[in-house]
Amino acid sequence: KTKRTVPTIRPLTFSSLPFPRSLVWHLTPAHADILAQARIEHMQVADTREYSFVNFIDWGVSEIKRLKASPDSFMQLALQLAFYKLYNKIPPTYESAHTRFFLHGRTECVRTQSQEVLDFCKAMETPGVPLGTKYLLYRVAEKNHLNYMGDAVEGRGCDRHLLGLKMIHQLEIGGSLPPIYTDKAFALGQHHRLSTSSVPGTTFFGGFGNAVPDGYGCCYINKNHRLDISVVVDKTNTDVNSKNFCNALAQSFKDIRHVLMQEELSKL
């Protein structure tokens, strides 16, 4: 067998971590067969997904911040508006928020959908609504989103607490779940037709799948002068279409940008 050359890794001078070493895996024929079958099954699922992409090169974090707006809220409200354009409603939405302020903290759910967001989307899609009104409704929806994000990061979200209580009941008590977990409204709120998350860095490839059969998986990165987002759907489901959603999202970027810029110009 040809000996594989392992590249030399130079440790950071300020790191106290041990020098990294290459892991060599010794697979039995049985393990190799399992991996081969797993790859087949993975590709079967991947083949049912439709992947589309939006590169919004007209605007980015720098331009949004100059208007004293939140880049993440801009993206989230644009996603809500895009969904409203296609379905005339806003959906249960999952946006991941970190909880790393806490020991072993991971994530909490930010529920972007709200009455404030719905009011904004309705105004944006209703002819004759003044730009000033749209601007004020945007700011109200943005503030609501930022407040929820702040609560989630500081451990005041609801989803992980409810999940923890449910797991305790199942593992330590048993029997029928409390009524809240079988309520239709609770089930509807857990059906995240928009599953969203941002990624750090400057280079973006890939994304993640939809959380529910009739949903959209939206992975995005907000860069200084552009916004990039991938949208993944189950192409066997006729209720969703990634290309249509991306077109609606690109238009939503332009619509919200117009509202923010015109209002700021009116103050000059």
Side-chain angles (χ1 to χ4, degrees):
K1 295 182 179 179
T2 303
K3 186 176 181 180
R4 184 169 61 91
T5 302
V6 179
T8 301
I9 302 174
R10 298 177 61 186
L12 297 174
T13 57
F14 55 82
S15 174
S16 60
L17 296 173
F19 190 82
R21 60 188 179 86
S22 177
L23 297 178
V24 179
W25 297 89
H26 300 284
L27 299 178
T28 66
H31 288 144
D33 291 342
I34 292 173
L35 287 174
Q37 182 60 34
R39 185 180 187 281
I40 292 173
E41 294 175 3
H42 170 78
M43 294 307 300
Q44 288 174 343
V45 174
D47 287 342
T48 66
R49 295 299 180 263
E50 180 182 76
Y51 178 99
S52 297
F53 204 84
V54 176
N55 299 116
F56 191 66
I57 60 175
D58 300 334
W59 233 37
V61 170
S62 297
E63 291 80 8
I64 296 171
K65 285 185 174 180
R66 269 202 290 270
L67 297 176
K68 298 180 180 179
S70 162
D72 189 64
S73 293
F74 180 89
M75 176 64 77
Q76 286 292 324
L77 293 180
L79 287 166
Q80 295 290 311
L81 182 56
F83 195 95
Y84 188 88
K85 286 177 180 290
L86 296 178
Y87 300 98
N88 201 37
K89 60 182 179 181
I90 60 174
T93 303
Y94 176 95
E95 179 188 6
S96 60
H98 74 79
T99 54
R100 54 178 174 265
F101 293 149
F102 300 90
L103 182 64
H104 305 310
R106 291 185 60 80
T107 63
E108 175 57 282
C109 172
V110 175
R111 293 174 172 267
T112 308
Q113 78 278 8
S114 66
Q115 184 61 52
E116 292 81 1
V117 171
L118 179 60
D119 292 342
F120 164 70
C121 291
K122 285 182 176 179
M124 290 294 289
E125 293 301 292
T126 301
V129 176
L131 277 175
T133 300
K134 294 178 179 179
Y135 177 83
L136 291 175
L137 289 173
Y138 177 87
R139 288 302 190 179
V140 171
E142 177 189 50
K143 182 179 180 181
N144 184 79
H145 173 253
L146 291 174
N147 287 342
Y148 202 126
M149 175 63 76
D151 285 342
V153 167
E154 295 178 3
R156 295 193 296 271
C158 66
D159 283 82
R160 297 299 180 262
H161 294 291
L162 288 170
L163 175 61
L165 291 171
K166 180 180 179 181
M167 297 300 295
I168 290 172
H169 182 93
Q170 291 176 324
L171 295 173
E172 298 184 8
I173 300 175
S176 300
L177 287 169
I180 185 175
Y181 294 104
T182 57
D183 189 276
K184 290 183 179 179
F186 183 83
L188 179 62
Q190 297 292 313
H191 191 84
H192 299 125
R193 293 196 66 185
L194 282 184
S195 180
T196 74
S197 183
S198 62
V199 293
T202 58
T203 303
F204 181 42
F205 295 100
F208 52 81
N210 46 299
V212 294
D214 58 346
Y216 295 85
C218 304
C219 182
Y220 60 92
I221 182 170
N222 294 331
K223 301 180 183 179
N224 274 340
H225 302 293
R226 62 184 289 167
L227 306 173
D228 292 337
I229 181 169
S230 68
V231 177
V232 179
V233 301
D234 182 349
K235 65 184 179 183
T236 66
N237 192 308
T238 58
D239 291 333
V240 290
N241 185 291
S242 64
K243 293 181 177 62
N244 290 345
F245 188 85
C246 283
N247 289 336
L249 181 59
Q251 187 59 50
S252 295
F253 287 153
K254 296 176 183 178
D255 292 349
I256 297 176
R257 180 185 63 174
H258 177 70
V259 169
L260 293 179
M261 293 186 69
Q262 290 302 309
E263 182 60 25
E264 292 302 316
L265 287 173
S266 70
K267 297 176 181 179
L268 299 179

